[in-house]
Amino acid sequence: MTLRRFLSLQALLFWQGGFFFYAAVVVPVGTGVLGSRAVQGSVTQQVTVWLNRIGILALAVLAWDVASTPTRRTSRWVAWGSMTVLLAALFYLHAILDANFDSVRKISPDPGAFRAVHITYLWVSSLQWLLGLAFAWLTVKAWASPSLERIPG
């Protein structure tokens, strides 16, 4: 039980914490240092692939914990399922963004369409992060449940 909880905590911290740090610190600093949103965008294009892949691994570990913890399962499964659906949406939106971005020239052939999809990507990412916070809260509550103290393991 301790190993599962530790891995769950680390998975959530790495995935959701990585997203938050990248969005709040790396993107603004990178844009300032690189002097161009387009250049920073080409970095972000590569980083978000990794963030989304890490999400797959994190969700697998989190599913293991939800399935193994007998309290607050329904609310945690709803949060987990919502994060999973949003991750699938991010993979889809990322593919659209990739198809509409020339990474060599650092431009989009249709900046208006690119911007619309990019804004959607940002909103979906933000919603997923908020669900990650809710999942973390529900997980702490599930782990703190007095009924777990009677369960061996």
Side-chain angles (χ1 to χ4, degrees):
M1 176 169 47
T2 302
L3 176 62
R4 184 188 75 245
R5 287 181 179 181
F6 175 77
L7 292 174
S8 296
L9 181 62
Q10 291 304 309
L12 197 58
L13 288 171
F14 186 50
W15 178 35
Q16 296 295 293
F19 164 78
F20 184 74
F21 182 78
Y22 191 78
V25 177
V26 176
V27 170
V29 170
T31 302
V33 169
L34 298 172
S36 165
R37 285 189 180 164
V39 174
Q40 176 59 43
S42 64
V43 172
T44 299
Q45 179 185 30
Q46 300 302 310
V47 171
T48 51
V49 169
W50 284 100
L51 276 173
N52 292 339
R53 288 176 183 165
I54 291 164
I56 292 170
L57 295 174
L59 285 167
V61 172
L62 298 176
W64 174 37
D65 185 66
V66 174
S68 301
T69 305
T71 57
R72 299 188 188 274
R73 278 193 182 157
T74 301
S75 57
R76 291 176 72 213
W77 276 127
V78 168
W80 181 90
S82 299
M83 288 188 299
T84 301
V85 167
L86 292 176
L87 183 59
L90 290 175
F91 273 103
Y92 174 74
L93 292 167
H94 200 281
I96 294 170
L97 290 170
D98 279 351
N100 290 295
F101 185 73
D102 183 339
S103 58
V104 175
R105 296 183 350 183
K106 313 281 189 264
I107 60 168
S108 170
D110 186 352
F114 183 88
R115 181 167 163 68
V117 176
H118 186 254
I119 289 170
T120 302
Y121 189 95
L122 295 175
W123 277 107
V124 171
S125 296
S126 298
L127 180 57
Q128 184 185 61
W129 179 74
L130 288 171
L131 282 163
L133 289 178
F135 184 90
W137 176 260
L138 293 167
T139 297
V140 168
K141 298 286 281 181
W143 290 349
S145 175
S147 64
L148 284 180
E149 294 177 14
R150 298 187 307 270
I151 298 170

